[in-house]
Amino acid sequence: QVQLVESGGGLVQAGGSLRLSCAASGSILSFNAVGWYRQAPGKQRELVTAVSRGGRTNYADSVKGRFAISRDIAKNAVYLQMYSLKPEDTAVYYCKLSGGSDGDDYWGQGTQVTVSA
């Protein structure tokens, strides 16, 4: 099984930037995809972005052009670079590893991102 540790959240003004990190205890190449979800109070958790084992990426329309997902295979890490942040980006952000060889998905503990106007 895999453990995930997230970091990098915080409070930022609108227009600012943050980088979130997700460190895994095993190889992220064991999974079909790795990605980031977010959940705002009173709302469902939604997919923000993901990258497949082969390196193909996808982004929610709301973050295209502003967020970028990247991987460091050697460090078993995935990152979310966020810029031009908006108040509506405020949420708890979760790292997820999907479709592992053991058949399970794994979630990080979540990190709070708050964007003030």
Side-chain angles (χ1 to χ4, degrees), residues 20-41:
L20 307 184
S21 298
C22 177
S25 62
S27 176
I28 61 175
L29 292 181
S30 297
F31 296 84
N32 288 335
V34 300
W36 293 90
Y37 289 70
R38 67 186 181 187
Q39 187 167 24

Side-chain angles (χ1 to χ4, degrees), residues 1 10 19 50:
Q1 71 145 84
R19 190 176 81 153

Side-chain angles (χ1 to χ4, degrees), residues 12-112:
V12 65
Q13 292 183 351
S17 301
L18 285 172
R19 190 176 81 153
L20 307 184
S21 298
C22 177
S25 62
S27 176
I28 61 175
L29 292 181
S30 297
F31 296 84
N32 288 335
V34 300
W36 293 90
Y37 289 70
R38 67 186 181 187
Q39 187 167 24
K43 296 187 176 181
Q44 293 185 330
R45 192 171 298 184
E46 64 175 349
L47 176 66
V48 177
T49 179
V51 56
S52 71
R53 181 184 285 113
R56 186 169 184 170
T57 60
N58 66 275
Y59 294 89
D61 287 342
S62 60
V63 306
K64 285 180 180 176
R66 300 189 299 116
F67 290 12
I69 189 170
S70 62
R71 302 175 297 174
D72 188 327
I73 304 301
K75 294 182 178 179
N76 295 332
V78 59
Y79 307 97
L80 181 64
Q81 178 66 55
M82 305 181 292
Y83 58 96
S84 299
L85 282 161
K86 304 175 180 179
E88 50 262 48
D89 295 318
T90 295
V92 177
Y93 284 71
Y94 297 90
C95 180
K96 184 187 180 184
L97 310 186
S98 301
S101 60
D102 61 2
D104 290 337
D105 298 337
Y106 295 91
W107 291 88
Q109 83 280 6
T111 185
Q112 177 71 46

